[in-house]
Amino acid sequence: MPHDYNDLITLFNRTFLTSLNTELVLGGDEPVYLPADTEHPHHRIVFARGYFASALHEIAHWCIAGPERRLLEDYGYWYLPDGRDADQQAVFERVEVKPQAVEWLLSASCGFRFQVSCDNLSGDHEPDRVAFTRKVRQQVQHYLNGNTPERAGILSEVLRQHYGVQPLSADDFPEPL
């Protein structure tokens, strides 16, 4: 089955629009999370350029954001863009382990190929993609052992049913080479 972002929008909104007042929305160049306000009655997860992977990544951030964070634009996080030095990249990776682990779970639930994002193409430091993937994989294993964030678990089940994917196991998350 092809991976169409419109399916993600439909499945996500069917699952969470009424229950958690949150909708997935196609956006422009930059992803953003926007809480409900006087002009928009729903919280919005806006993903970039119609990319399936971008939608999964932004959903993953939402899946781990607590109730207070979901009332803040972009969950109240500060983001240092591409061009980070080694120390800044290390901080980025520490913060990204959990959302990227959720993204990997959701990707696997769709039968969609996952690749970690070090997101530092023009930095003066070459990230260690394999080491970062191992950290993300370790977090996935933790989630598979009964610790999956609730919203991620709900959406994983919805996606697996839609894409005909069997229940996930550790074998679905191979050790990086």
Side-chain angles (χ1 to χ4, degrees):
M1 178 178 287
H3 295 98
D4 184 335
Y5 70 82
N6 288 299
D7 294 332
L8 282 180
I9 291 172
T10 299
L11 295 167
F12 183 93
N13 292 348
R14 185 182 307 149
T15 305
F16 297 115
L17 184 58
T18 300
S19 64
L20 291 171
N21 194 37
T22 304
E23 65 180 328
L24 182 63
V25 179
L26 171 62
D29 290 339
E30 295 298 325
V32 65
Y33 172 79
L34 301 167
D37 57 29
T38 56
E39 294 181 29
H40 298 92
H42 309 296
H43 307 298
R44 290 157 288 147
I45 301 169
V46 181
F47 67 99
R49 300 184 188 124
Y51 294 134
F52 195 85
S54 174
L56 290 174
H57 183 79
E58 297 312 311
I59 291 168
H61 277 284
W62 177 80
C63 283
I64 64 168
E68 297 83 18
R69 290 263 184 209
R70 293 193 313 270
L71 296 176
L72 304 171
E73 184 172 329
D74 262 350
Y75 314 106
Y77 290 120
W78 169 78
Y79 175 73
L80 186 62
D82 187 349
R84 294 179 290 274
D85 64 25
D87 291 338
Q88 293 165 333
Q89 184 65 22
V91 170
F92 169 84
E93 290 178 10
R94 276 195 302 276
V95 171
E96 279 289 309
V97 166
K98 287 182 180 181
Q100 291 202 31
V102 168
E103 181 185 351
W104 198 350
L105 284 170
L106 297 177
S107 295
S109 299
C110 299
F112 186 73
R113 184 176 178 269
F114 171 80
Q115 182 173 317
V116 296
S117 173
C118 295
D119 197 22
N120 200 28
L121 299 175
S122 64
D124 68 359
H125 169 72
E126 180 64 31
D128 185 340
R129 181 174 296 281
V130 171
F132 183 51
T133 302
R134 285 189 176 119
K135 290 174 187 172
V136 172
R137 182 178 180 272
Q138 183 177 22
Q139 184 65 46
V140 167
Q141 302 302 322
H142 175 72
Y143 287 156
L144 288 175
N145 288 326
N147 302 297
T148 302
E150 181 180 16
R151 286 168 278 142
I154 291 167
L155 187 56
S156 172
E157 181 64 24
V158 167
L159 295 172
R160 284 189 326 89
Q161 293 298 318
H162 179 79
Y163 288 100
V165 173
Q166 296 299 312
L168 302 177
S169 72
D171 293 339
D172 295 310
F173 305 91
E175 184 73 30
L177 303 174

